Structure formats: C-alpha cells, structure tokens
Amino acid sequence: MKQREGRPGQKKTSGSSGESRRNDRAGRPPKPVARPAAVREAAVPAAVERPLMTRSGERPVERVPVILESLGAGDFHLIDSGNCEKLEQYGPYRIIRPEAQALWRPSLPAHVWEKVDAVFTGDTDEEGSGRWRFPKDALGETWPLNLLGVDFLGRFTSFRHVGVFPEQIVHWSWMKEQAEKASRPLKVLNLFGYTGVASLVAAAAGAEVTHVDASKKAIGWARENQALGRMEKLPIRWICEDAMKFILREERRGSQYDIILTDPPKFGRGPNGEVWHLFEHLPLMLDVCREILSPKAVGLVLTAYSIRASFYSIHELMRETMRGAGGVVESGELVIREAGTDGKTPGRALSTSLFSRWMPK
C-alpha cells in the first residue's frame, strides 16, 4: 500500500501510503470512490492470500497506559497551540497549521502568533486542496532541517505537512539507541516510510535498513534527504512497492528483521488499485510482521492516526499477535509538549497518535 501522506505533487493516489494517513491526521480522510461490486472484489489487496496464524502460549506482559512525550528535538519544537491550530518552529521558520485537538485557547499573546513565516490556509476538508500563505516574504518550496543528527528537507506541501512527523522522535530515539548499542548491524524494516527520516536515523546509527513506500514521489524525496546529508553510502534499500505485498513476499522468502516500524494509514489505495482499510487489514499486517521478526528481534512498533478507537484496540491486537513470544507490549499515546518561544518552557501536551510497541524484555 502507499506510504505516507502529504507527498509533494499531485493529490490523486492516496494509496495505502502515509499520504492518506497524513490527510487523516490533519482533517478528513480522502473519500473512497464508489465502484461496482466486481471491481471492489478485484481491488482487495494481497492481504487475503493467507489466513491469520493460530498462536498459542501466554500473551506478553503489558504496560498501559504509556505516554511517550517529546518536547521537541533538533530544529523542531511546538511553540504554542489553541483555537484548533498549532504554532511550530521548523528550523528558521515559524509555522501555523490546523490542529483539531487543540481545543483550548493559546497561551501566548496574539503578537507572537502574528510573527509567522507560513500559515496553512484553504479548504482543509478536501484532500490536497489547501495552500500556504507567507505573511512576510515568499519562501521556497524546501528548506534544510535536522533531527537526531540527520539532515533532511522540509517542504510546504498542499496536504499541510512539511515532510516529517516529529511526534515520532520518541520511536526514532529508541531505535537509534538500540542500533548503537547492538553488537551487530540490526536489520530494520521501515514500512510506510514516507520521506525517509527514520530510515536515515537508523542507518546513521549502524543499522541495515529496508525502506518501503508505494509513492514514487516519497521515495524521491527520501533520496533527496539522503543526498542532502551525504549519506549515500549508508546501507539503505529504497523499495517502491505496496507494503502488504512486500512483507508477504518477504515471509515466503524467509527474510527476517530485528526492528520493524509500521505506520499505516486509516484508508488508502495502492498503485494497482489495492485497497487498504486499517481495521480490516491491520491484523494480517501485524501477523506477517511477527513472522518476519528475527529470533533476536529488538522490537515491533505500530503507530495509528485519526482512528475512532482506544489505544486498547491496537494494544490487545499486538498482545494477541505476539502471544507466545514473551517480552512486553506497551501501548498508549504519542504527545508533543509545548515548549514556548525558547523551546525550553514546558506547556500543555498535544496528543498526536496512538501507538503499540512490542519488545523482547
């Protein structure tokens, strides 16, 4: 399925890519096109190729609820939020974007919000229909950023996103630590990999990375990021393919990974008409991911955005998927805490997504 939303360029395919997921995060998901029943049948993804495994044994120990919090890192921090908007700092630019969960009033005075470089405007109810307004000077489409020691390009996209989802910093920091302390190069699979920041963080820490995304534009952006940081020699395989088809093939091949990151959209379509529905297809995706975890696996990480569910839904699914594997499953929410204009003054916590993470201990 296509990976990661808000890709630069046309707004057509929402594939099972993060492209439609990011649209889910910021507003309403793209509306599926009505099709005759016969066509819908043909469009069902490869997920139907095998049934779920029958698992036995005890379920992993649980830790709930777990709140993974970021105050920002590198060139990013959340300055303030309120009135269904958020005020963020991305490198040299101060940006305002919609944020439906910021139900409170802003903490900082109006003049702080007025001194911004870019504001996302337009009809935010439709996929890719918005646009950026630049109150001071016209800005270029891209600009350099750095997180966790990795250089990449920010980009003003029509999906209101800028090429990185900083709430993931907590997962990336954990992955970086695991890769750096391992006595061998860990094999990392990044599904729905989007612009490749997580893949570059892992590779820079010594991991061998397989990055999968069905959007050619996202893969191109990821390669730009790799070149920007002069990281072309790092061991990263860039795979432009439907995520479910890829992991099913890896299962048949007997391929194995030590860390798997999966960040699927709520709804999407793949390059060949494959249809992804999170609630329908996530159980099999996790089931296959378990099968391709190595015997010395370090973790399986799932993040879910804009779904009408408690974190307990993915928590219990993860525990059932990992039944008999031992270890622990911790689940809860990812949040970003306001950090003020100086990036150091803690304020309110803004919830961004649900997550569930299995670890061997």
Side-chain angles (χ1 to χ4, degrees), residues 157-170:
T157 74
S158 60
F159 299 100
R160 88 198 65 185
H161 305 300
V162 297
V164 65
F165 297 92
E167 62 269 20
Q168 297 281 349
I169 291 170
V170 288

Side-chain angles (χ1 to χ4, degrees), residues 124-144:
T124 60
D125 285 345
E126 297 181 12
E127 182 185 18
S129 62
R131 55 195 172 276
W132 290 90
R133 176 172 60 85
F134 304 108
K136 297 179 181 178
D137 302 309
L139 301 178
E141 181 189 10
T142 64
W143 73 100

Side-chain angles (χ1 to χ4, degrees), residues 23-142:
N23 291 323
D24 290 345
R25 293 180 182 181
R28 300 178 185 175
K31 298 183 175 85
V33 178
R35 297 184 175 189
V39 176
R40 290 200 301 270
E41 287 285 325
V44 174
V48 299
E49 288 189 7
R50 78 155 175 81
L52 293 174
M53 295 286 189
T54 299
R55 308 288 181 186
S56 61
E58 295 296 320
R59 298 194 300 166
V61 173
E62 63 179 335
R63 293 181 193 147
V64 287
V66 175
I67 306 300
L68 297 182
E69 176 183 310
S70 171
L71 191 65
D75 287 342
F76 165 81
H77 69 270
L78 175 65
I79 300 171
D80 193 16
S81 61
N83 293 339
C84 294
E85 292 183 318
K86 54 187 175 182
L87 176 63
E88 305 164 289
Q89 191 77 42
Y90 283 96
Y93 298 146
R94 187 172 292 184
I95 294 171
I96 293 177
R97 294 189 293 162
E99 178 47 69
Q101 297 204 70
L103 302 176
W104 44 84
R105 293 180 180 180
S107 293
L108 298 177
H111 70 82
V112 175
W113 284 73
E114 291 167 359
K115 295 178 180 178
V116 295
D117 300 284
V119 180
F120 187 86
T121 63
D123 182 357
T124 60
D125 285 345
E126 297 181 12
E127 182 185 18
S129 62
R131 55 195 172 276
W132 290 90
R133 176 172 60 85
F134 304 108
K136 297 179 181 178
D137 302 309
L139 301 178
E141 181 189 10
T142 64

Side-chain angles (χ1 to χ4, degrees), residues 2-7 16-22 25 164-165 168 172 190-196 198 213 215 218 263 265 305:
K2 278 196 169 184
Q3 287 80 29
R4 296 227 179 224
E5 79 149 72
R7 318 235 199 270
S16 311
S17 103
E19 193 165 337
S20 70
R21 170 177 60 264
R22 308 307 173 208
R25 293 180 182 181
V164 65
F165 297 92
Q168 297 281 349
W172 302 344
N190 186 11
L191 295 174
F192 310 95
Y194 194 34
T195 60
D213 196 294
S215 166
D263 190 9
Y305 290 83

